[in-house]
Amino acid sequence: MNRNIVRRAFTLIELLVVISIIGILMALLLPAVQAVREASRRADCLNRVRQIGLCITQYHDARRTIPPSRAADGYLTWTVLIMPYMEENNLYGEFDITMPYADQDPDTVKKGAYLYYCPSRRSPNVVSKFESNGEPVGSVGDYAGNAGSNLYYQPDDGSGYTGEWALFTNPVDGVFNSGWAKDHPIDGSTGKLLKGPRGRYRFKDVTDGLSHTIFVGEKSVSTIRQREPGGWGDGCIYNGNEPGTFMRLGGIGLPIELRDDIPTPGPGTVPTFGSIHPAVCNFVFGDGSTKSLAGITDQDVLRRLCSRNDSEIPPNVE
């Protein structure tokens, strides 16, 4: 018996149409998926700055001061000092906080703390490419302490601002500033701090109010200059030799930077806050509250938020 068997299959044109439709759907869905992933990473970043804020509060409760951004030039930074309050006691114990960064164990300074990395920018345990003065390379990080407003920053144009934001002797309006020189005598023969690191300020010195003053925020980093110290401000965050790596400013001429080709810290550049998130930058305030400030935040409003004692209460910002 002869049977006519009809085999049904896609024609080449039908197959191409199906593939085209799948491609279009993927093109439509991919941005949405990426947006959801970025929203999750941004929320994670915001939680990390919140945890850093809680560690600072615990440090203040225990030691009665806000940690200094660095005790002396070239010594360890605030990112090491608060480690006992973020369950990093083992790592903290490997540092000698009385000695300069250059004298620390090279293997220790490469170890990163989870909270110091923005998940949108990079993964933990990323180290610098080099350090400017030949010190051991070490763990980089994405957050910086608020060193104050533009009133204490010296730009290149010589417009009358001062360059006191990172010094050890002059009053400034930040929160995380270099420790007072008088509080940190150094043994000339060993280079050892004769007293433990002590911060300049207490919570009571934040006279504008803790809820109105930025403590820590994301820092601007050039995408093509990541992990580079000096003028690029992305060396090891434990190294107190380069203020722009762990301290930033905000205000007139110092906006929140969200661009890849940002002007960065160092000679001829600008130590700004910023992030890799679309449109916003995450901050924690003195009362432990967190906010994602828009990149277009008014520069004068940002100045007020970065100054702890200008007696100008900023408007509510989101």
Side-chain angles (χ1 to χ4, degrees):
M1 179 181 296
N2 293 328
R3 294 182 179 179
N4 293 326
I5 300 175
V6 178
R7 298 183 182 275
R8 304 186 63 85
F10 285 112
T11 66
L12 178 60
I13 294 177
E14 289 173 331
L15 185 60
L16 291 175
V17 169
V18 170
I19 293 174
S20 298
I21 292 173
I22 293 174
I24 292 171
L25 291 175
M26 290 182 63
L28 292 173
L29 289 174
L30 187 58
V33 172
Q34 290 176 333
V36 170
R37 288 178 176 174
E38 168 53 26
S40 176
R41 289 192 293 262
R42 189 178 73 186
D44 188 2
C45 174
L46 197 63
N47 182 61
R48 296 187 196 202
V49 294
R50 179 181 292 109
Q51 294 299 317
I52 291 171
L54 290 174
C55 294
I56 294 166
T57 297
Q58 293 174 24
Y59 181 100
H60 181 273
D61 290 346
R63 300 174 181 265
R64 302 305 181 198
T65 67
I66 300 167
S69 66
R70 54 179 178 166
D73 193 18
Y75 286 71
L76 296 172
T77 70
W78 66 270
T79 59
V80 175
L81 301 182
I82 68 171
M83 281 183 178
Y85 307 97
M86 61 171 59
E87 300 182 352
E88 291 285 356
N89 298 72
N90 291 338
L91 179 54
Y92 178 77
E94 296 182 32
F95 288 95
D96 183 346
I97 62 171
T98 67
M99 296 300 292
Y101 171 85
D103 294 330
Q104 305 297 323
D105 184 334
D107 292 328
T108 296
V109 298
K110 292 178 182 177
K111 299 178 181 179
Y114 164 82
L115 290 182
Y116 294 147
Y117 292 87
C118 169
S120 289
R121 180 175 285 155
R122 48 196 166 194
S123 301
N125 295 316
V126 176
V127 301
S128 55
K129 293 180 179 178
F130 58 91
E131 292 296 310
S132 295
N133 287 350
E135 306 99 328
V137 297
S139 177
V140 298
D142 296 314
Y143 306 106
N146 168 29
S149 74
N150 55 284
L151 297 179
Y152 296 88
Y153 176 69
Q154 177 66 59
D156 277 351
D157 60 10
S159 59
Y161 297 129
T162 61
E164 299 169 338
W165 69 286
L167 299 182
F168 301 88
T169 54
N170 302 50
V172 289
D173 65 349
V175 177
F176 283 83
N177 295 105
S178 304
W180 293 115
K182 61 183 178 58
D183 290 339
H184 299 98
I186 298 172
D187 186 310
S189 60
T190 65
K192 185 174 184 177
L193 290 174
L194 298 178
K195 296 181 180 180
R198 179 174 177 78
R200 289 191 179 200
Y201 315 117
R202 301 181 180 183
F203 281 178
K204 68 178 183 179
D205 297 313
V206 185
T207 56
D208 286 353
L210 296 175
S211 63
H212 298 129
T213 307
I214 289 171
F215 269 38
V216 173
E218 294 184 86
K219 68 181 191 181
S220 57
V221 175
S222 171
T223 301
I224 62 173
R225 294 288 188 171
Q226 286 189 21
R227 301 165 51 216
E228 295 188 23
W232 299 107
D234 200 29
C236 180
I237 57 169
Y238 307 145
N239 187 355
N241 186 50
E242 296 177 359
T245 299
F246 52 89
M247 305 159 62
R248 295 295 171 96
L249 303 164
I252 309 301
L254 297 167
I256 295 173
E257 296 284 2
L258 302 178
R259 298 178 291 127
D260 288 344
D261 58 338
I262 51 173
T264 51
T269 53
V270 184
T272 54
F273 289 107
S275 82
I276 199 170
H277 306 301
V280 299
C281 180
N282 291 329
F283 294 90
V284 63
F285 286 67
D287 64 345
S289 63
T290 54
K291 294 182 180 179
S292 297
L293 299 186
I296 59 173
T297 297
D298 182 81
Q299 292 182 26
D300 191 56
V301 170
L302 185 60
R303 174 188 65 80
R304 298 182 194 184
L305 293 172
C306 287
S307 177
R308 73 175 199 287
N309 61 355
D310 64 0
S311 301
E312 298 182 64
I313 304 302
N316 290 330
V317 290
E318 297 295 340

